[in-house]
Amino acid sequence: MTVELQIIAVTGIREVTPDDDIAQLILDAADLRDNDCVVITQKIVSKAEGRLVAIHENKNSDLNYRRLVEKECRKVLRRRGSLVIAETKHGFVCANAGVDRSNVTKGYATLLPADSDYSAHKIREDLKFKAGVEVGVVISDTFGRPWRRGVTDVGIGCAGIAALVDLRGTDDALGRKLQTTEVAVVDEIAAAADLVMGKASGIPMAVLRGLNEHWFRESSVADEIIRSPSEDLFR
């Protein structure tokens, strides 16, 4: 049996500004089909939702940035120089609480969307209303990982697509029962999409076509992936 997955870069997206209609931008640039999954970088969602904060470029700009990071934290977990590993108000553990100055007009930083799952749900509903397509939507962001160098994209919001697929109790290829396996589907989708988006290419969206149809579901949120402190061996 041959399984084929297409990862299609969505090009031609102009600079996003507050109150832009992201669904319309997608439809103007991409030919969507039912059971496609649209992956959108956090940066343009934050821009469209007005999650921009001015950071005055002066001798205190780094201090202003650090203060903004701490304002967005629920808890600071680690510090090394100017780097802060923080738990955000959403429950994400990431560098600098998701406050980012890359790919933003000089003198500004973006904050994470206030509710990434809601943002994904709204975009999905707008796509359905405008074009009649049933798609999944994943909002992605770039995270580091403990014990591994480099960064990768993960899903911080989703709609219409499973965040987590629980394989516990099912058989592996040799017939053994899986005991602990839960697959972070939205993280795998986000990382795959980043292969055609990149960090400096100016391509903020991608479409994945050919995903397992069983992964599409009405009720799913990326919040499912967040490990509670009681289950976390390292906090």
Side-chain angles (χ1 to χ4, degrees):
M1 180 179 68
T2 301
V3 178
E4 182 178 275
L5 174 65
Q6 291 180 281
I7 309 173
I8 306 162
V10 178
T11 59
I13 302 293
R14 60 170 174 76
E15 179 66 21
V16 174
T17 57
D19 297 321
D20 272 344
D21 185 336
I22 291 181
Q24 192 59 54
L25 291 175
I26 295 169
L27 293 173
D28 289 344
D31 179 21
L32 297 183
R33 304 176 189 174
D34 287 340
N35 288 343
D36 281 348
C37 184
V38 182
V39 181
I40 311 160
T41 61
Q42 160 271 323
K43 192 64 58 67
I44 66 168
V45 175
S46 292
K47 288 179 179 179
E49 294 180 353
R51 300 280 288 167
L52 291 161
V53 178
I55 298 180
H56 300 295
E57 295 291 331
N58 54 38
K59 64 180 181 180
N60 295 320
S61 58
D62 287 342
L63 176 60
N64 294 335
Y65 176 70
R66 291 197 298 271
R67 286 173 175 168
L68 180 58
V69 167
E70 293 191 2
K71 185 179 177 182
E72 290 299 301
C73 292
R74 179 185 293 170
K75 183 186 299 184
V76 173
L77 302 179
R78 296 286 189 278
R79 290 181 187 271
R80 187 182 67 194
S82 60
L83 175 64
V84 172
I85 302 300
E87 179 182 340
T88 72
K89 298 170 184 177
H90 318 75
F92 305 135
V93 175
C94 58
N96 296 325
V99 180
D100 195 353
R101 289 184 285 188
S102 65
N103 290 314
V104 184
T105 301
K106 187 175 181 180
Y108 287 85
T110 57
L111 311 180
L112 296 176
D115 185 338
S116 302
D117 284 317
Y118 173 79
S119 300
H121 174 79
K122 185 178 186 306
I123 294 168
R124 179 174 183 259
E125 289 300 304
D126 287 348
L127 291 171
K128 183 177 180 179
F129 175 77
K130 291 172 180 287
V133 288
E134 293 278 2
V135 299
V137 173
V138 172
I139 296 174
S140 67
D141 197 9
T142 303
F143 279 28
R145 288 88 33 82
W147 307 291
R148 297 182 73 84
R149 299 181 69 174
V151 296
T152 187
D153 271 28
V154 301
I156 64 168
C158 68
I161 192 82
L164 201 64
V165 172
D166 189 351
L167 298 181
R168 292 173 297 182
T170 63
D171 294 338
D172 69 10
L174 299 178
R176 293 188 62 180
K177 292 289 182 187
L178 298 174
Q179 303 295 318
T180 60
T181 303
E182 294 177 285
V183 181
V185 169
V186 292
D187 287 351
E188 293 186 334
I189 289 171
D194 188 52
L195 293 173
V196 299
M197 293 193 295
K199 306 304 176 195
S201 62
I203 300 174
M205 299 181 194
V207 174
L208 273 69
R209 182 168 293 158
L211 292 171
N212 188 325
E213 63 181 17
H214 298 297
W215 291 350
F216 291 87
R217 55 189 64 171
E218 286 295 321
S219 177
S220 184
V221 290
D223 187 60
E224 296 174 27
I225 293 180
I226 297 173
R227 191 185 299 279
S228 68
S230 64
E231 297 176 331
D232 192 332
L233 295 176
F234 305 98
R235 272 193 284 173

